[in-house]
Amino acid sequence: MTKISRNAPCHCGSGKKYKKCCLDQDREGGASRRTLSPVSPEASFDTIDNPLASRFASTSPYVVARIFEASEEFATIQRRDPDEARRFWIPGRMAALETEEIVTRLRKLGIDGRREAYLKLVGDRTSAWNLSESWRTKIHHRLSQHEKDFLGIAACELWKRYCPERPSVEMLDDWMQEGYQAAMNGQGAQACDRWWPVWEIIRSRLTAHMRTCDRAAVVFEGTQVVYNWVQDFQLELHNAALDQPRYADLGVRLCEEVLGQFSEEDELFRLNFRTDLGEFYYMAGRPEDGERVLLALIHDHPDRAAGYARLADILAYGIRPHQGPIDPQRAQTLLEAALARPVTDAEHYGLKDLLQDLRDSNVANPR
């Protein structure tokens, strides 16, 4: 592959800067992605009784239901045997029913699904599927797989209708996936707009002892884990801020809140959020704060390349393409200092390449 500047538009056509898009994948020969296989039609979406639970680890049954609904396996069933397909309770089928019909079907199972009875059960719960488990204790006959799925998905749908002001975990997961879909469609700003209220709700439910993303799983566990999602969110905010500076302010808030909450998260995670915080300050028109953050990072981690690389990148190329460089000579000095130590991860951050780019630029454009 032809060498590409870190600040050039990415070769994949996304419109993002190369450093914020495919750079890491190209270095590693392509990043692998963990994907979930579609669920077997014989399996319940409830992982308690699902014989394929090991395939989904801790994946919630609601997530499994959505994966199945969108799967080629279910599409095949719909084509080959429409009657069999109609037996499955999936989120889309439940959403198409009137509330009274859902309540009537619940009544036939001995469950009161009316608003008042439902809201009494909500209590301090945040998961609608968890609420459905309390319904099961009131049913004395052996439930079929499809009845279990019906109870869980009905509980999720009624939560949306009865208490939308207090989103369930399942609702948050739906919104999160809507954001991912927007991002995949090249609508990064829309993804950020969808994700910001999700973050605010998750953050409001975190307690002081939840100092790592794993501990936050009791608050949110869905298709994506918090650890990955907040990093994806940061990336989309960065790209959105290139065109709309207001997203830089949201980026500052996200980084500060993530760092404040997850104080015991792994070093690389926190290192990345600190470097991102510094750049977001620059993008938000607060260069003094941005430099303060990045110099503090260099001071705290003098043998790591992150702080040197990000500050040098900003000084050499500026924040946005039309604004131009800030101080290329100082950027070169920073990189020379980092390589002179030397920092332990210079190759990962491409410090030699960045320094050579600067030297070549200085030769081509002497003062």
Side-chain angles (χ1 to χ4, degrees):
M1 178 181 294
T2 303
K3 183 179 174 183
I4 304 173
S5 167
R6 291 163 53 85
N7 286 272
C10 188
H11 59 77
C12 73
S14 67
K16 303 173 184 178
K17 286 187 178 183
Y18 181 49
K19 69 179 181 182
K20 284 290 183 178
C21 194
C22 293
L23 175 61
D24 287 338
Q25 288 190 53
D26 289 347
R27 283 176 179 162
E28 297 169 9
S32 62
R33 289 181 178 267
R34 183 178 69 87
T35 58
L36 293 173
S37 303
V39 68
S40 164
E42 290 79 24
S44 166
F45 300 137
D46 191 315
T47 55
I48 294 174
D49 299 306
N50 185 350
L52 302 179
S54 61
R55 281 172 55 184
F56 296 94
S58 60
T59 305
S60 76
Y62 178 73
V63 171
V64 176
R66 283 204 299 99
I67 292 170
F68 176 65
E69 181 176 24
S71 70
E72 180 56 36
E73 188 168 355
F74 182 55
T76 300
I77 296 171
Q78 288 177 302
R79 290 192 298 268
R80 293 179 178 175
D81 192 342
D83 290 336
E84 173 64 15
R86 282 191 286 271
R87 293 181 61 222
F88 286 93
W89 284 106
I90 51 179
R93 179 185 175 192
M94 191 68 66
L97 297 181
E98 297 292 336
T99 300
E100 186 55 41
E101 186 172 354
I102 298 174
V103 170
T104 298
R105 288 176 179 271
L106 286 170
R107 187 181 301 120
K108 290 177 180 179
L109 291 171
I111 300 298
D112 187 351
R114 293 173 297 178
R115 180 186 299 270
E116 184 177 357
Y118 186 97
L119 293 178
K120 284 182 179 179
L121 279 179
V122 169
D124 60 357
R125 290 185 174 91
T126 57
S127 168
W129 203 285
N130 177 271
L131 181 148
S132 75
E133 292 172 0
S134 68
W135 283 345
R136 291 190 194 181
T137 63
K138 301 176 182 179
I139 300 174
H140 301 296
H141 70 270
R142 182 177 177 81
L143 291 167
S144 70
Q145 303 285 19
H146 292 292
E147 286 175 326
K148 293 176 183 179
D149 297 337
F150 170 75
L151 290 174
I153 297 172
C156 293
E157 183 60 34
L158 289 178
W159 191 303
K160 296 177 185 178
R161 302 181 188 190
Y162 289 161
C163 44
E165 73 287 347
R166 184 185 165 189
S168 66
V169 169
E170 293 80 11
M171 291 171 65
L172 294 178
D173 193 53
D174 284 343
W175 297 349
M176 192 178 287
Q177 292 310 303
E178 288 170 12
Y180 274 112
Q181 189 60 53
M184 288 175 62
N185 292 337
Q187 301 170 324
Q190 289 89 326
C192 294
D193 292 339
R194 200 60 174 128
W195 282 348
W196 186 256
V198 176
W199 168 247
E200 288 193 308
I201 293 166
I202 291 175
R203 181 173 57 84
S204 71
R205 296 175 181 176
L206 297 171
T207 60
H209 78 277
M210 297 176 187
R211 300 189 186 96
T212 66
C213 294
D214 283 347
R215 293 178 191 169
V218 299
V219 169
F220 177 82
E221 189 170 34
T223 309
Q224 187 58 274
V225 295
V226 171
Y227 182 93
N228 291 337
W229 173 64
V230 291
Q231 295 181 82
D232 293 336
F233 191 7
Q234 174 279 130
L235 178 60
E236 292 303 330
L237 282 170
H238 176 277
N239 289 316
L242 292 173
D243 296 320
Q244 302 180 58
R246 72 181 183 90
Y247 289 105
D249 293 320
L250 291 181
V252 168
R253 287 180 58 188
L254 178 69
C255 291
E256 289 181 338
E257 290 168 0
V258 165
L259 289 166
Q261 179 67 48
F262 301 125
S263 57
E264 295 179 5
E265 194 48 82
D266 68 72
E267 182 181 79
L268 182 59
F269 177 94
R270 290 185 56 79
L271 198 69
N272 287 337
F273 269 93
R274 287 181 69 182
T275 56
D276 293 332
L277 175 59
E279 185 163 0
F280 274 125
Y281 270 131
Y282 270 98
M283 298 177 85
R286 299 166 62 181
E288 297 85 359
D289 289 322
E291 178 160 333
R292 171 181 53 80
V293 168
L294 293 173
L295 288 178
L297 187 61
I298 293 171
H299 177 271
D300 295 342
H301 299 278
D303 295 321
R304 301 295 296 272
Y308 299 96
R310 189 65 61 92
L311 184 53
D313 208 40
I314 292 168
L315 295 173
Y317 298 104
I319 296 301
R320 296 177 176 87
H322 64 277
Q323 293 177 337
I326 298 172
D327 190 341
Q329 187 57 52
R330 187 175 170 216
Q332 184 171 327
T333 301
L334 271 171
L335 294 172
E336 289 169 345
L339 291 168
R341 288 194 65 89
V343 296
T344 58
D345 50 354
E347 184 175 352
H348 176 77
Y349 284 86
L351 295 195
K352 289 183 179 179
D353 289 342
L354 181 54
L355 179 57
Q356 189 59 51
D357 287 345
L358 282 171
R359 287 172 173 166
D360 291 345
S361 178
N362 287 338
V363 170
N365 302 287
R367 293 186 178 182

